[in-house]
Amino acid sequence: IRKQSIIEGQAEIRVSSDKVFYNPVQEFNRDLSIAVLSVFINDYRKEKAFKKCEKLKKEGIDFEDGHDIPVTILEALSATGLRSIRYAKEVSNVTKIIANDLSEQAVETIKDNIVYNSVDNVIETSHDDACMLMYKHKHHSKRFTAIDLDPYGCPSIFLDSAVQSVQDGGLLLVTATDMAVLAGNSPETCYVKYGGISLKTKCCHEMALRILLQSIEHHANRYSRFIEPILSISADFYIRVFVKIYSGAFHCKKTTSKLSMVYQCVGCDNLTLQPLGAFKPNPTEKNPDQMKSFLPNVPPVGEFCVHCNQRHHLGGPIWSAPIHNVDFVSRVLNHVEENSHKFGTAKRIQGILSMVQEELQDTPLYYILDKLFGRVHLETMPMLRMRSAILNAGYQVSFSHAAKLSIKTNAPAHFIWDIVRTW
Ligand code: SAM
């Protein structure tokens, strides 16, 4: 069989391209994942070592640097093994990686490639259904530090097993490429797959991220676990989220406060969020960790739009809490800046992460400048002028990495329409 040789990062793999899946466009996805894992693993080891040695520290003894904390990664759908090989060669301090695939041909290719790249001491291959393999690792003694899910299309069938098989404080990395479903072309299918209704809206890329996050949280909650998104990216034809997974039945009660339904006006396209709950401290409890009331104390959005009196479409639920951890993102950005020669797509990562860092974190979704003015058949206002108008009125504004000409703002919708009217 004729084999093609591919060099990406520090890996060189050989594939017979007609039999095993390899997509060069995903180099950005792999580079970004390497950068995220590098920073995450460093944090993870420090955190675990810190916990282990907390007692010693109280006694004034320095805690360990975490070098003895094992780090295991599962690439559940590995295809050529390229991603696992790059993780083994380019992410420091990884103890063990399992590269799994259901296809026998793929597993043979992975085996050849790990020997060819001399990483057979770190990578083990596995020929199994990804779900079955993850269920075998759901006991906490067997869980992985990180699980990478990079399937064709929709990841939802893998989520139940994945959320159970990541260690406490571990990382789940998920790609979804079924953007048509997530971006509103097929809202019923989106509900079936993700448990959330997508809408055809200008901010569909961020909405897609938030539907996926909601779905992962929902799966995790079944097992008294919950997520903390640390980075959520929309790129090319796919989305990619990086979420930490924690255990804690009490914290799961806060989930409704992190979710919202989305009302979309069929007339002016305006979006209104309806939170599912509001985390309200119980005034009788002194310890905030013991707060017991979670009142869905939010007035419902009406049937008609307050701006143009047209009907609403209903979408969601979506994740309406922050989708990135800015401190983490800035450390990933530093890592890529310091190691830019190692990443083929360093410039692109730097560009996107710089935008992510600037995004308003507490303001879900966004307007698109030309669509906003196009809706009322007006010429588009220059972006700078729009942003100045918002800032001058004392509100905040940012772009979103997910769309050009995006306007993320905490200004109320009626104020945005006032600006449009005065143009
Ligand atoms: N992660 C790879 C990369 O970065 O190059 C690409 C993975 S490719 C999109 C998806 C792979 O999942 C295919 O090789 C396919 O054989 C495998 N696959 C599909 N269903 C599976 C299942 N249930 N369990 C394990 N592997 C599966």
Side-chain angles (χ1 to χ4, degrees), residues 13 19-23 26 29-30 75-84 100-104 106 128-132 148-153 157-158 177:
I13 57 155
K19 297 241 169 60
V20 178
F21 180 92
Y22 165 71
N23 186 353
Q26 292 275 25
N29 181 330
R30 288 183 282 267
E75 190 195 1
L77 309 121
S78 185
T80 60
L82 171 61
R83 191 180 283 263
S84 289
N100 175 69
D101 206 284
L102 188 60
S103 143
E104 200 175 337
D128 205 344
D129 169 63
C131 298
M132 296 305 288
D148 194 323
L149 297 178
D150 183 44
Y152 300 126
I157 57 167
F158 304 110
T177 62

Side-chain angles (χ1 to χ4, degrees), residues 251-271:
H251 286 279
C252 290
K253 289 195 185 184
K254 297 180 191 169
T255 295
T256 55
S257 311
K258 301 174 196 167
L259 302 179
S260 296
M261 300 307 289
V262 184
Y263 286 76
Q264 179 187 31
C265 171
V266 298
C268 67
D269 250 354
N270 195 68
L271 299 176

Side-chain angles (χ1 to χ4, degrees), residues 28 32 34-40 43 171 209 228-234 240-244 322-338 343 346 348-361 401:
F28 168 75
L32 180 64
I34 287 165
V36 167
L37 275 169
S38 300
V39 176
F40 165 77
D43 290 357
L171 190 68
L209 285 168
E228 185 209 339
I230 53 173
L231 177 62
S232 309
I233 294 291
S234 156
R240 176 83 163 156
V241 298
F242 303 86
V243 303
K244 286 198 201 173
I323 61 174
H324 320 288
N325 175 323
V326 181
D327 176 57
F328 180 82
V329 173
S330 66
R331 281 180 297 120
V332 177
L333 191 54
N334 283 344
H335 178 84
V336 175
E337 275 162 7
E338 281 164 16
F343 297 107
R348 187 169 180 206
I349 299 182
Q350 283 167 266
I352 291 192
L353 293 190
S354 306
M355 291 195 84
V356 162
Q357 245 187 336
E358 304 286 313
E359 277 178 21
L360 291 181
Q361 298 300 317
H401 79 278

